Amino acid sequence: MSEARRIVESGYDSVAERYLEWSARIADDPRSRFLGELTGRLGDGARVLDLGCGAGVPSTAALAGRHDVLGVDLSAAQLDLARRNVPGARFERGDMTALSFPDGSFAAVTAFYSVLHVPREDHGALFARIAAWLRPGGWFLAALGCSEANGVEAGWLGAPMFFSSHAPAENRRLLATAGFTLEVDELVTMREPEGPATFHWVLGRR
């Protein structure tokens, strides 16, 4: 197991309940708007993979209302919460960079604030794997980092946490190289309890 993965897994295991309470206090989180952009393009019962599903709310729960959803997360504590919060979805513990699915398995893949916990040198390969898991014309919706952070924040919600991201221009280049055409490409700032935070929202079609 890589050191980054160990830090992310142990960090979320230790702050799972605290993270759920913290995230509920975020103002102007645009997830519902972008979820609407995605679900308006999907038929009922579409197979969706949610990478880094966390406790399952609000995103996995919203998707599971109409779709066949598989949520994947590193943290066993987060998955325990997700199974309680979203009984209509399926959940598996795993590292998104090491998952294996047949080509064309999903109509959509989502990643809400989770790719930024993957070392940025692995983002390009991850995007290529996601493209392969999608059927032709499938969709990838993600909130990516855009700060070029790359390292461990010692006291994030009381635990160490690893963050790693690229500037938006590099995100766009890596997604294009993986075969995605971006139909949504926005920098959006929301207000976390500690202050403003900006993320790169993308909706790409394979």
Side-chain angles (χ1 to χ4, degrees):
M1 179 187 299
S2 73
E3 181 67 6
R5 171 179 166 162
R6 186 195 64 76
I7 291 168
V8 173
E9 180 179 354
S10 63
Y12 274 110
D13 278 346
S14 66
V15 305
E17 295 278 3
R18 192 178 314 135
Y19 177 78
L20 191 59
E21 183 276 330
W22 176 87
S23 61
R25 293 188 285 123
I26 293 173
D28 304 320
D29 188 334
R31 267 189 281 198
S32 61
R33 174 164 69 90
F34 289 112
L35 271 168
E37 292 275 2
L38 173 64
T39 58
R41 293 167 163 87
L42 298 177
D44 288 351
R47 294 192 70 202
V48 179
L49 173 64
D50 188 17
L51 295 173
C53 62
V57 288
S59 305
T60 321
L63 289 164
R66 283 184 53 206
H67 305 299
D68 175 11
V69 180
L70 171 62
V72 176
D73 203 278
L74 270 177
S75 166
Q78 290 277 52
L79 289 172
D80 286 344
L81 292 173
R83 292 185 178 103
R84 296 203 297 268
N85 291 331
V86 196
R90 294 170 293 118
F91 296 96
E92 293 181 5
R93 187 172 173 221
D95 176 351
M96 69 176 77
T97 66
L99 298 173
S100 179
F101 299 104
D103 289 356
S105 292
F106 299 98
V109 176
T110 58
F112 300 99
Y113 312 112
S114 55
V115 173
L116 55 83
H117 294 305
V118 173
R120 62 187 183 184
E121 59 268 24
D122 297 331
H123 289 190
L126 174 61
F127 295 156
R129 290 164 65 84
I130 290 169
W133 298 335
L134 288 168
R135 70 186 189 194
W139 298 95
F140 177 41
L141 173 63
L144 303 174
C146 57
S147 67
E148 297 192 87
N150 190 36
V152 176
E153 185 175 325
W156 186 76
L157 300 184
M161 183 55 63
F162 176 80
F163 296 95
S164 190
S165 56
H166 290 290
E170 182 65 3
N171 290 336
R172 295 181 187 112
R173 187 190 71 80
L174 293 172
L175 288 162
T177 299
F180 288 105
T181 300
L182 295 186
E183 298 207 3
V184 171
D185 177 359
E186 294 187 34
L187 297 180
V188 182
T189 300
M190 61 187 187
R191 293 195 305 278
E192 295 179 344
E194 297 78 16
T198 302
F199 296 90
H200 187 193
W201 281 88
V202 293
L203 177 61
R205 188 170 191 178
R206 176 177 180 258

